[in-house]
Amino acid sequence: QDANVVVRDTTAWTISRVAELHPDAIPPQMINDIFQKLLLALQDEPKVAEKACTAIHRFGESRDSIAEGTEWMTPELFGALMEKLLGTTERADWIENNLRTTAYETINVLIDDHPEACRPIVIQCSQMICQRLEQSFQMQVVSNDDKDEQDNLQALLMGSLHMIIRRCEAEEIKPMADTFMAYILRVLQARGSTASEEAFMAAGALSEKVEAGFDRYLDHFIPLLYSGLENSAEYQVLASAVGATGDLCRAIPDRLA
């Protein structure tokens, strides 16, 4: 809250380094105060907000070592963090200091290591991710820059969807599988290189959750998978398609034999 932006920026950076290098030094009684300040910092100038995202990211990675191993990540705190981080990704100045990407990466870390009590919030987050994917297809694309922006945004959203699919239980994912797969197919059909890479990983994770249920998607998915496997010009897409093929072979071996 210092008036000097450099002080606020440096403070957020220092907190992130403590959480990364010395998480066991953070006492339980300071957790709430730290996060209240970090939540406020997410509304600060882009470089300060980016450091706040990174600090939250480090707290998420070191959750078990912080505050003497107590379960400090409550549903209330988790929900507040997800709400503010999702809001941060849509700031008008998201392009500065790599803010949008850093916020989504932080969201993914929180999803990846969330306590069981926070699962309903993660499920709710999946609905917002799908809404944003739908909105991303409504973007006006009139130049290569517009196409790149759409590709990058869809890649970030697919990355979050992939993490949700991977971390939730099969019975939680199955009711939403058709919706998830519809967006995966639409992203693959758009053929954005970065988004396609993430979409293939999401498809592979989904196949592991629904197993034989994935059979109903094959008629639409297999041609896109073949296209990815033939995409030697974009090796990251190719590698992701290879990974998805392996996931499919494990999920529905009889169907692909």
Side-chain angles (χ1 to χ4, degrees):
Q1 293 178 314
D2 193 277
N4 191 320
V5 66
V6 176
V7 174
R8 300 197 302 275
D9 179 59
T10 305
T11 301
W13 176 84
T14 302
I15 291 172
S16 73
R17 295 294 284 170
V18 172
E20 178 184 10
L21 301 175
H22 304 287
D24 54 345
I26 302 173
Q29 63 269 24
M30 293 188 65
I31 293 293
N32 287 336
D33 190 44
I34 290 172
F35 274 103
Q36 289 305 314
K37 298 299 189 294
L38 290 175
L39 287 168
L40 288 173
L42 290 176
Q43 304 172 51
D44 208 323
E45 295 187 26
K47 63 180 180 180
V48 179
E50 186 271 334
K51 298 295 193 312
C53 287
T54 301
I56 296 168
H57 182 136
R58 301 307 181 200
F59 269 85
E61 289 181 326
S62 305
R63 182 169 66 87
D64 293 338
S65 301
I66 291 172
E68 302 172 358
T70 59
E71 192 52 84
W72 53 269
M73 183 64 83
T74 63
E76 292 76 19
L77 176 57
F78 187 86
L81 290 172
M82 294 297 283
E83 180 181 358
K84 287 293 186 181
L85 287 165
L86 285 166
T88 299
T89 65
E90 294 196 317
R91 283 176 46 154
D93 53 4
W94 60 264
I95 199 170
E96 297 183 36
N97 296 89
N98 206 32
L99 180 57
R100 184 171 70 180
T101 298
T102 305
Y104 272 115
E105 288 174 350
T106 303
I107 288 168
N108 293 348
V109 166
L110 293 179
I111 292 171
D112 188 34
D113 195 31
H114 69 273
E116 188 71 24
C118 300
R119 184 63 53 81
I121 300 170
V122 174
I123 299 296
Q124 185 178 9
C125 180
S126 72
Q127 299 169 2
M128 181 172 289
I129 295 298
C130 288
Q131 291 172 4
R132 292 189 176 188
L133 278 165
E134 181 64 37
Q135 293 168 3
S136 74
F137 286 104
Q138 311 306 318
M139 293 173 62
Q140 186 175 16
V141 178
V142 296
S143 67
N144 287 334
D145 287 345
D146 293 337
K147 179 62 177 174
D148 288 343
E149 181 182 337
Q150 184 185 55
D151 180 33
N152 289 332
L153 175 57
Q154 290 180 345
L156 292 169
L157 293 167
M158 269 291 139
S160 295
L161 187 63
H162 170 220
M163 189 61 66
I164 291 168
I165 295 170
R166 190 164 72 85
R167 290 293 291 117
C168 292
E169 299 297 330
E171 295 308 313
E172 296 167 327
I173 293 299
K174 287 177 181 178
M176 303 179 287
D178 288 352
T179 299
F180 291 168
M181 194 62 196
Y183 284 111
I184 290 170
L185 291 171
R186 288 178 70 181
V187 169
L188 290 173
Q189 289 163 353
R191 299 187 182 280
S193 59
T194 308
S196 291
E197 178 187 355
E198 295 289 347
F200 277 126
M201 288 191 286
L206 187 62
S207 71
E208 292 180 342
K209 298 297 183 180
V210 301
E211 296 181 323
F214 200 85
D215 185 82
R216 63 185 183 271
Y217 308 132
L218 289 181
D219 287 345
H220 297 288
F221 181 64
I222 290 297
L224 296 167
L225 182 61
Y226 283 159
S227 178
L229 292 171
E230 294 171 351
N231 191 355
S232 58
E234 296 172 323
Y235 71 93
Q236 291 174 316
V237 175
L238 172 58
S240 185
V242 169
T245 303
D247 293 332
L248 280 178
C249 290
R250 289 185 290 273
I252 46 175
D254 295 339
R255 185 67 170 82
L256 298 182

